[in-house]
Amino acid sequence: VDSTRADLEFVRRAYEGAVEAGAQEVAVVDTLGIATPEAAAFLVNEVVERAVRWVAQSAPAHFALASDLPPGLRCSGSSGQLQQVVMNLVQNACDALAGRQDPSLTVTGGVDADTATLRFADNGPGISKAALSKIFEPFYTTRKEGSGLGLYIARQLCEANQAELTV
């Protein structure tokens, strides 16, 4: 009984330490902040192509990537931050589709009411309803090896550029 109590106390302290460490990591990420970029016009097509090409280098050879963007799609903001967002979304698709025989991702875009829009659609299992409300929270992940920071940071980057990231 004494060893069980000691084990339970150890587990309780470890859990409390993990919760405290997680809260500290969130505070660090929040205090680092994401600088509001100086807005500059850029071609979205070039940024998406560069980001997709970068991530595709480590994707399985049979991973099908397609994009359907109107020529000359432009927006204003930080092209580097948009590239980071796109890289994260493409990498998430690669990870979610690992093990599928026919993994594919399509990036489409357009302009709607003077707003450039990008859509990412893959043929994976989708996001569960339970995960949808948490998907942008820091340290929330559905993968064993995930940090849970990718979508959180991607959303922060979008907000810094007066953009929106939704599921």
Side-chain angles (χ1 to χ4, degrees), residues 16-123:
E16 288 173 353
V19 168
E20 184 178 319
Q24 289 173 345
E25 289 178 20
V26 169
V28 167
V29 169
D30 286 344
T31 57
L32 288 176
I34 293 173
T36 302
E38 204 171 299
F42 60 91
L43 286 172
V44 174
N45 310 56
E46 292 175 0
V47 172
V48 170
E49 288 170 16
R50 189 170 46 245
V52 166
R53 190 172 50 249
W54 184 262
V55 176
Q57 292 175 11
S58 62
H62 64 286
F63 192 90
L65 288 162
S67 67
D68 183 17
L69 303 174
L73 183 60
R74 300 181 73 75
C75 74
S76 182
S78 167
S79 63
Q81 289 182 355
L82 176 63
Q83 181 175 328
Q84 185 61 49
V85 170
V86 172
M87 287 173 59
N88 179 273
L89 297 176
V90 173
Q91 185 62 58
N92 281 0
C94 286
D95 294 343
L97 299 171
R100 282 191 67 104
Q101 290 184 356
D102 62 342
S104 69
L105 171 66
T106 302
V107 182
T108 58
V111 178
D112 193 22
D114 293 333
T115 300
T117 303
L118 293 175
R119 288 185 182 81
F120 296 76
D122 64 44
N123 64 341

Side-chain angles (χ1 to χ4, degrees), residues 137-149:
E137 292 178 11
F139 304 107
Y140 178 79
T141 183
T142 58
R143 297 187 324 249
K144 285 186 267 183
E145 68 284 347
S147 69
L149 289 174

